[in-house]
Amino acid sequence: KLVVVNCHASTETSDLLGGFRPIRGRPLILQEMIDIVRALIVGWTDSSFDIHESAPSYLFQSKRHDEADGGPYRSIPEDAPKQIFNFIRDLKNKYHRHEKSEPLTSADDDMCDRKRRKLSNGKAKSGKQTCGSNSGLEKNIETTYLHIERLFHKYSSLFEWVDGPLVSSMKNGSILLLDEMSLAEDSVLERLNSVLEPSRTIVLAEKGGEGPSCAHDSDMSCEVKAHKDFRIFATMNPGGDFGKRELSPALRSRFTEIWVPAVSHRHDIDLVLERSLSSCIEREMICDKYIMNGMENIRKMILDYIDWFNNSICDDPNSFWNDFKLSLRDILSWTRFIADTHLKTKSTGQWSAYVHGASLMHLDGLGLGTGVSSEDALTTRDKAKDYLIGQIPPEGTSEIIGFQDELKGIKDSFIATEKYFGVNPFIIPTGSAKIPDDSRFNFMAPTTGMNLRRVLRALQISKPILLEGSPGVGKTSLISALALASGHNLVRINLSEQTDISDLMGSDLPYSSDSESNGSSSASFRWCDGVLLKAIKQGHWVLLDELNLASQSVLEGLNSCLDHRASVYIPELGQTFACPPSFRVFAAQNPLAQGGGRKGLPKSFLNRFTKVYVEALTNEDLRNIVIEQFPSVPSPIVEKMISFNAQVQHDIDTRSYGQHGSPWEFNLRDIFRWCQLLTSSGLDITLENAAKYADVLYTQRLRTASDRTMIRKRFISNFGRDLVFKSHTRIEIAPKGVIVGSTLIHRCIDTPQWADIQIQDAESSISLSLLQPMEAVACCIRMNWACLLVGPSSSGKSTLLKTLADACNVHIETLAMSSSTDVTELIGCFEQTDSMSGAKDILKILSHIHNRACIQCRIDADLLRSINRHYWNVQE
């Protein structure tokens, strides 16, 4: 048996050796205890002792009777495990005393015979049987007691020892493979030194000598000696790539190290291609000689293209692609695409499958994740496409659609039915989720349709898909809309530096066991599936957003569910979960040049994905999308807004202005916000109102007066008029709302807010220079947008927000952020309970009530005195 362990930076020693895990399945343990005691009662042979009088009544009920009562544990008391243990212990002590007592006399034998005849209605049993001759029964009771004692201790414990894959393999004589061994920490790997020595033993100091018994073996020995058939292998990538390193010489010397060269020789690649394509032909039982001859030609063409790209493009001294030669994993993706789309489903012709397979293999994501500019990638892509088209005979080019001209034929070949969705010839079956009748997403915008075709092409094979593109080009929205339109549930996971592997796979979390009838009311632990593991079990689509923000230790932990294994091993559960066919993984990331903590990813990780570069939206795309989403906005205004946004971004890129605070990104999100302000204001959608909100979205973002002057000139050149803004914005507090400039936000007048009120504080003052930013903040509050205030220290940012919060009668929670701030400080975490926490909360609420009562002038004087007296009593 081969046991594979996928190593990564989060791998711990306990993941290999084992460790103490929370007890799981207490109801099953209880049922096993009941079954063992019931078997003892059924086989009871001592007629001198009526076991029915001392045994709990529920032990005489059958399973069928339990199910009739509403479940196997409905009629069983909570302390049943303790009752069963006490019963067996008393029974064992009773017969243990009989065994140690003096031998019975003949008179005692006669008395036993009389009692036996009386119990048998005067009929003596044949053969002589004495009260002291139940040695077989005593042995049975002793064995039952040992089983029940072990199960009761296991039921009552919080943790049990569970062997890890290394220890299990050593005991069972299995073959252990440590995949990507170099990714694990040195402290973990050095723990294996004794296993790699000739003695092949390991001492489990973590287990202890008197701990709970092992879940897989009753042997309590802490020293494990390897089975004679046990073997250990390890694999790793050489150091030099992102996150890759070499092992220490001390550890490497314990292995027999073998260098495996890359498969680069033409003959070797041809052999792999032949095996891959011929296996599909045999599987599909294809006997057509035309198809088989065509596969021979395609094999030769693939080999020629690989030689051309690796030698002419990658080996060029002036090339950017020196480290990006086509690997065997890339070639297998190409052949898999041809096999699935041409040989299996016959949805494409052989020449169309050939060229589109090359696009899927690497042309769609050429340069992705490498830092190579999009212009250089586009030049190389055009060269490769010209070479591929040149390989195809002239009569075969007519069947190829959407390869060189990727915008061609999208509208005419779009399919959206109850069973299928896609753009011919790339169709996917619809899922089980409900498909909405009207989708507001415009798939037919030219660039969006091209990006959709690339994603659909990548979906033709069972391989994860990685999308990269500039911020705001629609990576996440495209996958979300595709999942919605094709009837698949999409689980979006936002990754960050704080993301841990347990957030994705799951962990043991504390819970109150009162919620389960397991007989224990104390706190315990229960396994909670992570969001990724839950999606794997349910077969949903998963979108890993901001992939290159996560730490490499987390990403490398996903290797097994991203490659051919399509499974994930959970050490805490000791189980492997296979990914179902409906489970698909998408990942999205912004280019490495965007910064913000983004990291380069190793090539060994990236080539597990089908890479798709999401092209930036053109002005025509933006126009189609905005008109589709906001039909009430007149088309001339939409065109001016899009033109203004594009020219501002061009000015930023050419460094005409906006250098302070750069880099900036003005994209579709800004246009959407602009349209949302126009359509939600209740005013007529005119150029004047469009100019008013442009000041909020564009001018207020820039940091210097000269930059704001330049952007105003750009606005005048597009709209023919100046931005609308007021030099003296007013703030007015009404009973039901707060008016800042021309923006109205509602006040909370019905719900009491338990905010801390400092009675002696003076009313905060706002300078005139903060009134204009305050109106922009008020717009964000009205639209429920996230708002980022940027300014030098002591410029009034917090005062501005506090003034608005007080005016709106809402409580504002202030968190002081620093480099040491952890995500649990924002979201929350499990903490040890405090018996006084409830009293402290009550005292805090009473303090708020006391302060409110002191401020409220219209309250009754006697009531105020009563509140004040009770408040100080509680304080004391």
Side-chain angles (χ1 to χ4, degrees):
K1 180 181 178 181
L2 176 64
V3 179
V4 182
V5 178
N6 179 39
C7 297
H8 47 83
S10 298
T11 300
E12 299 177 351
T13 306
S14 60
D15 297 334
L16 299 177
L17 305 184
F20 286 101
R21 311 292 187 197
I23 296 291
R24 311 184 198 280
R26 281 189 171 86
L28 298 178
I29 300 174
L30 174 58
Q31 186 60 49
E32 185 178 356
M33 295 174 67
I34 293 175
D35 293 341
I36 292 174
V37 178
R38 280 176 176 172
L40 176 66
I41 294 174
V42 170
W44 189 256
T45 58
D46 187 2
S47 57
S48 65
F49 178 72
D50 189 4
I51 196 172
H52 293 75
E53 294 182 358
S54 58
S57 60
Y58 52 83
L59 293 176
F60 303 100
Q61 300 173 1
S62 62
K63 292 184 179 180
R64 186 176 301 174
H65 182 273
D66 291 338
E67 294 174 358
D69 285 346
Y73 310 107
R74 185 77 175 268
S75 59
I76 298 177
E78 290 187 356
D79 60 341
K82 187 174 182 180
Q83 291 182 10
I84 294 173
F85 175 72
N86 291 338
F87 164 68
I88 295 296
R89 183 189 59 189
D90 295 342
L91 195 65
K92 180 234 181 194
N93 293 336
K94 172 182 174 62
Y95 279 83
H96 187 63
R97 285 194 300 269
H98 282 174
E99 183 182 358
K100 288 188 175 182
S101 61
E102 296 181 357
L104 300 178
T105 63
S106 59
D108 294 330
D109 285 341
D110 294 339
M111 183 179 65
C112 290
D113 289 338
R114 287 194 300 272
K115 288 183 178 180
R116 191 177 301 110
R117 283 194 297 271
K118 186 177 181 180
L119 292 172
S120 304
N121 295 324
K123 299 178 181 180
K125 294 183 180 180
S126 60
K128 188 174 183 179
Q129 182 179 6
T130 64
C131 294
S133 61
N134 293 323
S135 59
L137 179 60
E138 293 169 0
K139 185 176 181 180
N140 192 13
I141 293 174
E142 182 71 21
T143 303
T144 303
Y145 171 76
L146 294 177
H147 288 172
I148 294 299
E149 182 184 33
R150 179 178 60 85
L151 292 174
F152 178 69
H153 284 302
K154 182 177 180 180
Y155 186 94
S156 304
S157 302
L158 285 178
F159 301 93
E160 66 173 340
W161 175 269
V162 178
D163 285 342
L166 173 64
V167 176
S168 299
S169 300
M170 293 176 66
K171 292 180 178 180
N172 301 329
S174 303
I175 299 176
L176 180 66
L177 171 60
L178 301 177
D179 197 16
E180 296 282 6
M181 182 181 182
S182 61
L183 295 179
E185 296 290 339
D186 289 334
S187 58
V188 176
L189 300 179
E190 296 293 346
R191 187 69 173 84
L192 310 181
N193 286 345
S194 59
V195 181
L196 304 176
E197 296 289 346
S199 60
R200 304 212 306 169
T201 60
I202 189 169
V203 177
L204 303 178
E206 299 86 349
K207 186 175 180 180
E210 302 296 334
S213 61
C214 175
H216 303 301
D217 195 346
S218 59
D219 184 14
M220 292 299 296
S221 174
C222 293
E223 183 177 355
V224 179
K225 184 174 180 59
H227 190 278
K228 64 183 180 61
D229 296 329
F230 170 71
R231 299 291 185 273
I232 184 169
F233 295 87
T235 63
M236 58 173 282
N237 290 319
D241 204 351
F242 290 103
K244 305 296 182 180
R245 63 183 179 88
E246 298 290 350
L247 295 176
S248 65
L251 182 62
R252 294 169 67 174
S253 64
R254 288 179 167 87
F255 285 90
T256 300
E257 187 171 340
I258 301 173
W259 169 256
V260 181
V263 179
S264 56
H265 195 274
R266 183 183 179 96
H267 175 74
D268 296 334
I269 298 176
D270 186 29
L271 181 62
V272 174
L273 291 175
E274 181 185 7
R275 295 283 179 86
S276 179
L277 293 175
S278 61
S279 63
C280 181
I281 291 175
E282 294 174 1
R283 188 169 58 251
E284 301 298 327
M285 294 183 292
I286 298 174
C287 301
D288 192 337
K289 290 186 177 180
Y290 175 77
I291 293 179
M292 298 176 70
N293 292 334
M295 290 300 100
E296 291 288 338
N297 295 331
I298 283 181
R299 273 174 46 204
K300 181 179 181 301
M301 293 164 60
I302 290 177
L303 293 172
D304 292 340
Y305 176 79
I306 294 171
D307 288 341
W308 171 80
F309 187 84
N310 287 346
N311 298 327
S312 300
I313 300 297
C314 297
D315 287 344
D316 185 355
N318 300 322
S319 173
F320 296 99
W321 314 100
N322 302 108
D323 297 328
F324 299 98
K325 291 185 177 182
L326 297 178
S327 65
L328 185 60
R329 188 173 283 171
D330 298 323
I331 300 168
L332 289 175
S333 298
W334 196 352
T335 57
R336 194 189 314 169
F337 178 84
I338 296 174
D340 290 348
T341 60
H342 177 60
L343 299 178
K344 185 177 179 180
T345 63
K346 297 180 175 60
S347 60
T348 62
Q350 64 176 359
W351 305 122
S352 180
Y354 172 71
V355 296
H356 282 295
S359 292
L360 172 138
M361 175 183 64
H362 75 138
L363 295 182
D364 283 347
L366 201 62
L368 185 147
T370 63
V372 177
S373 66
S374 57
E375 292 80 8
D376 294 328
L378 180 61
T379 302
T380 305
R381 186 185 300 125
D382 291 341
K383 288 182 181 180
K385 288 184 176 182
D386 292 339
Y387 183 89
L388 291 166
I389 291 295
Q391 289 181 295
I392 298 175
E395 63 273 10
T397 57
S398 59
E399 71 177 53
I400 301 174
I401 300 176
F403 177 64
Q404 284 187 303
D405 184 6
E406 297 189 65
L407 300 175
K408 183 180 179 181
I410 294 178
K411 290 184 178 181
D412 299 334
S413 56
F414 184 75
I415 295 177
T417 64
E418 293 183 358
K419 295 184 177 181
Y420 298 100
F421 178 88
V423 177
N424 264 327
F426 307 120
I427 310 298
I428 60 173
T430 55
S432 58
K434 183 180 179 181
I435 301 176
D437 298 330
D438 182 22
S439 175
R440 298 293 299 274
F441 192 86
N442 186 5
F443 287 108
M444 294 299 101
T447 306
T448 304
M450 179 180 66
N451 293 330
L452 173 65
R453 174 181 273 166
R454 291 180 177 179
V455 174
L456 290 170
R457 179 164 54 201
L459 283 170
Q460 301 307 302
I461 62 174
S462 56
K463 192 176 179 181
I465 301 171
L466 173 61
L467 293 85
E468 180 177 290
S470 300
V473 297
K475 302 181 292 295
T476 302
S477 58
L478 175 62
I479 301 302
S480 301
L482 174 60
L484 188 65
S486 60
H488 291 89
N489 293 304
L490 179 68
V491 178
R492 179 180 175 183
I493 305 174
N494 283 89
L495 302 179
S496 67
E497 186 68 35
Q498 293 285 335
T499 303
D500 191 72
I501 192 68
S502 61
D503 300 331
L504 303 178
M505 299 303 180
S507 60
D508 288 294
L509 299 178
Y511 80 109
S512 175
S513 56
D514 291 336
S515 58
E516 295 184 5
S517 300
N518 57 11
S520 176
S521 59
S522 61
S524 184
F525 292 88
R526 178 172 55 187
W527 175 264
C528 181
D529 288 341
V531 60
L532 179 60
L533 181 59
K534 191 179 299 182
I536 291 175
K537 290 182 176 180
Q538 298 174 349
H540 292 166
W541 285 8
V542 171
L543 173 60
L544 302 175
D545 212 356
E546 300 291 358
L547 185 73
N548 53 0
L549 285 181
S551 63
Q552 190 170 335
S553 61
V554 173
L555 300 181
E556 297 288 359
L558 307 178
N559 282 343
S560 60
C561 66
L562 298 178
D563 56 21
H564 63 280
R565 289 169 286 183
S567 62
V568 58
Y569 175 71
I570 306 298
E572 292 83 355
L573 301 178
Q575 297 181 27
T576 298
F577 297 91
C579 301
S582 60
F583 173 75
R584 298 304 300 262
V585 175
F586 301 85
Q589 66 180 23
N590 291 325
L592 185 63
Q594 292 288 330
R598 291 173 175 83
K599 297 169 285 293
L601 300 176
K603 187 170 63 172
S604 61
F605 179 76
L606 288 176
N607 62 17
R608 286 178 164 84
F609 290 87
T610 298
K611 297 176 280 293
V612 175
Y613 183 79
V614 180
E615 300 288 348
L617 301 176
T618 64
N619 287 353
E620 182 181 357
D621 299 320
L622 296 176
R623 180 181 178 278
N624 293 334
I625 293 172
V626 172
I627 290 177
E628 179 78 19
Q629 293 288 330
F630 303 95
S632 61
V633 181
S635 179
I637 295 181
V638 170
E639 292 179 355
K640 291 180 179 294
M641 294 164 65
I642 293 173
S643 175
F644 171 70
N645 187 85
Q647 291 182 16
V648 169
Q649 184 61 46
H650 179 266
D651 293 341
I652 297 295
D653 293 338
T654 57
R655 299 178 179 272
S656 299
Y657 52 86
Q659 297 308 300
H660 290 83
S662 62
W664 304 101
E665 189 73 32
F666 296 89
N667 50 40
L668 181 61
R669 291 171 180 161
D670 298 292
I671 300 175
F672 271 17
R673 293 190 188 102
W674 202 348
C675 293
Q676 289 171 7
L677 286 172
L678 281 172
T679 54
S680 64
S681 63
L683 305 175
D684 294 335
I685 302 176
T686 61
L687 289 176
E688 181 180 357
N689 290 326
K692 167 188 170 183
Y693 293 121
D695 176 67
V696 173
L697 293 172
Y698 290 87
T699 308
Q700 294 293 328
R701 189 185 308 187
L702 300 181
R703 301 183 181 181
T704 65
S706 59
D707 289 346
R708 297 188 178 194
T709 302
M710 293 295 294
I711 204 170
R712 286 176 58 188
K713 292 181 179 178
R714 177 58 69 187
F715 186 86
I716 293 172
S717 66
N718 278 271
F719 284 81
R721 60 178 302 144
D722 197 356
L723 291 169
V724 175
F725 66 95
K726 298 180 180 179
S727 56
H728 299 289
T729 304
R730 65 187 180 90
I731 178 172
E732 178 181 347
I733 301 177
K736 294 185 178 181
V738 178
I739 302 174
V740 183
S742 57
T743 302
L744 172 66
I745 51 180
H746 294 286
R747 298 186 71 216
C748 297
I749 57 176
D750 299 327
T751 305
Q753 302 296 324
W754 303 109
D756 290 325
I757 300 177
Q758 302 296 330
I759 301 175
Q760 297 180 353
D761 269 3
E763 184 176 353
S764 58
S765 58
I766 292 292
S767 62
L768 294 178
S769 62
L770 292 179
L771 292 178
Q772 193 172 355
M774 183 181 287
E775 182 177 4
V777 173
C779 286
C780 296
I781 295 173
R782 181 171 67 86
M783 301 301 298
N784 290 326
W785 292 343
C787 181
L788 174 63
L789 296 179
V790 183
S793 178
S794 303
S795 59
K797 302 182 293 295
S798 300
T799 303
L800 185 152
L801 293 175
K802 187 178 183 303
T803 301
L804 274 178
D806 291 343
C808 296
N809 192 32
V810 296
H811 171 62
I812 181 170
E813 189 75 31
T814 303
L815 298 175
M817 308 293 289
S818 66
S819 58
S820 60
T821 301
D822 191 75
V823 68
T824 58
E825 299 177 35
L826 303 177
I827 298 176
C829 62
F830 286 100
E831 293 184 352
Q832 186 175 358
T833 57
D834 183 6
S835 58
M836 293 297 295
S837 60
K840 292 177 181 178
D841 292 340
I842 294 175
L843 183 60
K844 185 176 181 180
I845 294 175
L846 286 176
S847 175
H848 293 323
I849 296 175
H850 176 262
N851 291 341
R852 289 264 177 177
C854 293
I855 293 175
Q856 182 61 261
C857 300
R858 293 173 293 177
I859 197 170
D860 183 74
D862 294 334
L863 179 59
L864 180 59
R865 282 192 292 270
S866 176
I867 292 175
N868 187 64
R869 182 175 65 256
H870 287 297
Y871 169 72
W872 287 109
N873 288 339
V874 174
Q875 283 279 22
E876 292 176 359

